[in-house]
Amino acid sequence: MAQWTSAVGAAQLARLLRSQQDRPAGPGTRRPPAYRALADGIRLLVLEGRVPVAARLPAERELALALSVSRTTVAAAYEALRGEGFLESRRGAGSWTAVPAGNPLPARGLEPLPPEALGSMIDLGCAALPAPEPWLTRAVRGALEELPPYAHTHGDYPAGLPALRATIADRYTARGIPTMPEQIMVTTGAMGAIDAICHLFGGRGERIAVESPSYANILQLMREAGARLVPVAMAEGLTGWDLDRWRQVLREAAPRLAYVVADFHNPTGALADDDRRRALVDAARSAGTVLVADETMSELRLDEDVRMPRPVCAFDPAGSTVITVGSASKAFWAGMRIGWVRAAPDVVRSLVAARAYADLGTPVLEQLAVNWLFGTGNWERAVEVRREQARENRDALVAAVRRELPEWEFEVPRGGLTLWVRAGGLSGSKLAEAGERVGVRVPSGPRFGVDGAFEGYVRLPFTVGGALADEAASRLAAAARLVEKGGAGSAGEAPRTFVA
């Protein structure tokens, strides 16, 4: 019986390996042998989660042909991986990826570190801040006061609590977009909302157009749903979308869905203006594409002089093209898993009907807490605390990175929670691996791309400030030195566990 559960084709593996571009070797720097470089490349792909564990690798001859190297080189690389515990083989069954004993399975998304690791590792993987107090505690107390009437019911509200649906609808109306409660479905976070939308509109094999780069966890959710992702490159700088590319993709690929983050885009921090929003909605409508607008970062304006554009759905008055997703998780606290969908009533009804086979509903107590925040004006107070914290962290992190790594390039976003950094010609994957060794966890660029893109980037969130931001930048600089010297994944070095 075969021990592998998926397979990676030779052409796909070759593309992933070729995306790993390193800085050119300086004088006196020794290049590793070809087999060693190939083994290191495959190992990094496994550690990054871009090649799954228990994935069958191509036969030696097939991979050699795809890479234009000798079969001997591939055979030696496979043998090295077997010796390190990253490959297992059996005659007649082929070779498949593995992880050595003591190494946890690589994360496919950006899961936070376990609490026991936080003392020794600076976590720049998860773009989430601690809860803004005392607002969380007050919200939970307010929810408990409102709970008794609901406790006498079945507690199952597939569309969400009527009171919260009405409150969210009123908030959209106050923003100039008339909305009825029937247009709102409350979900378990924004991920729950997008998962429901993908299953309704984007069945297995359906094309979904996505920004390139885009939010890593959403990309992985779509892959696992069986979607065919169509990347659309972002415009240069922080202006948002390249409309010519979007029009071309929508016209030629005719995707069923398109997913965008118009407000302080994750990971780049870009903010699309009114004209771009109107043009993209028009292009999606002409192509028959449903446009999913993720608003989870929309309230995280960090600079006071930023004028926020109108919501994407404001340019779709008929409600036939745009589905909006919102959430309390980024603006308030990641532990408050409350999200919502704003869409046409018939779409909401379809989403609610399909939910019966998924999670049935969202926790009542958390819905009451968010409704208390919205209804008492404390949401705005809490979000202002969040903005101030993120602004201070952003400024501290930017200053520290510029001081410790002056060759790294980035533009400072005016909102959101993330900094998208070109890492001075270094491999983002190798920086991520080296970072684990020196005590800083950072996600590499390819997590935010499709099929190996953005190898030269890392994403840095605004989750640390003050002395901790200085220390994080210092550890990143140490990781960069390791990569420059070939210390990340060098020959003969035993694999280490992720948690220091």
Side-chain angles (χ1 to χ4, degrees):
M1 181 176 173
Q3 302 298 305
W4 48 273
T5 56
S6 62
V8 180
Q12 179 188 7
L13 184 56
R15 285 195 303 273
L16 291 169
L17 288 165
R18 286 175 181 141
S19 73
Q20 296 174 330
Q21 300 296 323
D22 289 334
R23 172 180 293 177
T29 302
R30 295 181 60 187
R31 285 287 190 186
Y35 85 88
R36 184 68 252 173
L38 176 56
D40 287 346
I42 294 174
R43 180 170 56 83
L44 277 172
L45 292 173
V46 173
L47 290 175
E48 276 277 294
R50 290 190 284 146
V51 169
V53 175
R56 187 178 187 272
L57 294 186
E60 294 170 2
R61 189 184 303 276
E62 293 175 358
L63 186 56
L65 184 62
L67 292 173
S68 300
V69 300
S70 71
R71 182 177 176 181
T72 302
T73 296
V74 177
Y78 279 14
E79 183 59 34
L81 290 168
R82 277 190 287 270
E84 296 167 359
F86 284 92
L87 196 69
E88 296 182 14
S89 304
R90 197 176 70 211
R91 186 178 298 277
S95 299
W96 56 92
T97 55
V99 291
N103 280 60
L105 291 176
R108 298 304 302 271
L110 302 177
E111 293 82 357
L113 281 173
E116 63 269 17
L118 293 176
S120 58
M121 184 76 70
I122 298 176
D123 186 7
L124 298 181
C126 186
L129 291 163
E133 288 287 25
W135 314 113
L136 174 63
T137 299
R138 291 179 181 177
V140 173
R141 288 172 177 164
L144 287 172
E145 292 177 1
E146 299 290 334
L147 183 62
Y150 295 94
H152 295 290
T153 73
H154 48 62
D156 184 3
Y157 298 89
L161 292 184
L164 181 56
R165 296 176 73 193
T167 299
I168 294 172
D170 289 344
R171 289 174 64 83
Y172 277 106
T173 300
R175 294 167 69 188
I177 303 115
T179 303
M180 304 178 296
E182 291 79 9
Q183 291 178 261
I184 302 297
M185 180 178 84
V186 181
T187 62
T188 308
M191 291 289 288
I194 294 170
D195 181 59
I197 294 166
C198 286
H199 281 89
L200 182 63
F201 289 96
R204 185 164 294 276
E206 289 281 2
R207 294 184 180 92
I208 301 180
V210 295
E211 297 151 325
S212 184
S214 187
Y215 179 38
N217 289 339
I218 294 296
L219 294 180
Q220 189 58 33
L221 181 156
M222 292 174 175
R223 290 187 189 102
E224 293 184 358
R228 298 165 60 189
L229 300 184
V230 183
V232 187
M234 296 287 287
E236 291 297 323
L238 298 176
T239 57
W241 307 310
D242 184 324
L243 267 301
D244 289 337
R245 289 176 176 169
W246 269 103
R247 291 188 186 98
Q248 180 181 2
V249 166
L250 293 175
R251 181 175 62 250
E252 296 178 359
R256 184 72 181 91
L257 279 178
Y259 168 77
V260 296
V261 184
D263 303 294
F264 308 121
H265 175 261
N266 186 355
T268 68
L271 178 65
D273 60 22
D274 281 335
D275 290 341
R276 281 183 168 83
R277 295 173 190 231
R278 180 184 294 104
L280 185 56
V281 172
D282 289 345
R285 185 183 299 112
S286 297
T289 298
V290 175
L291 186 63
V292 181
D294 185 333
E295 288 190 336
T296 53
M297 295 283 189
S298 64
E299 298 200 53
L300 292 174
R301 170 181 52 84
L302 303 185
D303 294 336
E304 295 296 333
D305 60 339
V306 174
R307 187 190 72 81
M308 290 301 296
R310 300 178 68 197
V312 176
C313 59
F315 302 100
D316 180 37
S320 59
T321 299
V322 177
I323 297 177
T324 302
V325 171
S327 172
S329 298
K330 292 296 185 185
F332 185 75
W333 183 45
M336 188 69 77
R337 305 305 304 161
I338 298 296
W340 53 86
V341 173
R342 180 198 181 274
D346 61 319
V347 172
V348 168
R349 286 193 295 270
S350 296
L351 289 169
V352 171
R355 192 176 194 178
Y357 307 100
D359 64 354
L360 295 178
T362 301
V364 169
L365 188 63
E366 292 185 30
Q367 292 187 71
L368 289 172
V370 171
N371 197 50
W372 182 90
L373 286 166
F374 285 154
T376 58
N378 284 293
W379 173 266
E380 286 72 21
R381 298 184 182 94
V383 170
E384 187 52 46
V385 170
R386 170 67 77 242
R387 289 191 189 113
E388 182 178 353
Q389 186 179 14
R391 184 186 308 116
E392 292 176 355
N393 288 354
R394 178 197 63 181
D395 295 345
L397 186 65
V398 164
V401 172
R402 282 177 170 164
R403 181 179 61 252
E404 297 287 342
L405 294 151
E407 68 278 13
W408 285 19
E409 303 170 47
F410 53 84
E411 291 195 50
V412 181
R414 308 196 68 189
L417 288 173
T418 57
L419 192 68
W420 185 238
V421 181
R422 190 193 300 269
L426 299 179
S427 159
S429 297
K430 291 186 178 181
L431 279 168
E433 186 191 10
E436 299 281 354
R437 302 177 183 214
V438 299
V440 60
R441 183 174 185 253
V442 57
S444 69
R447 289 185 179 271
F448 304 88
V450 176
D451 206 11
F454 306 109
E455 181 59 51
Y457 288 79
V458 293
R459 189 196 74 170
L460 306 180
F462 309 144
T463 53
V464 295
L468 197 56
D470 293 337
E471 180 62 23
S474 177
R475 294 186 188 187
L476 285 171
R481 289 192 292 271
L482 271 179
V483 174
E484 288 175 326
K485 294 175 181 178
S490 60
E493 186 169 325
R496 305 188 187 185
T497 57
F498 282 175
V499 178

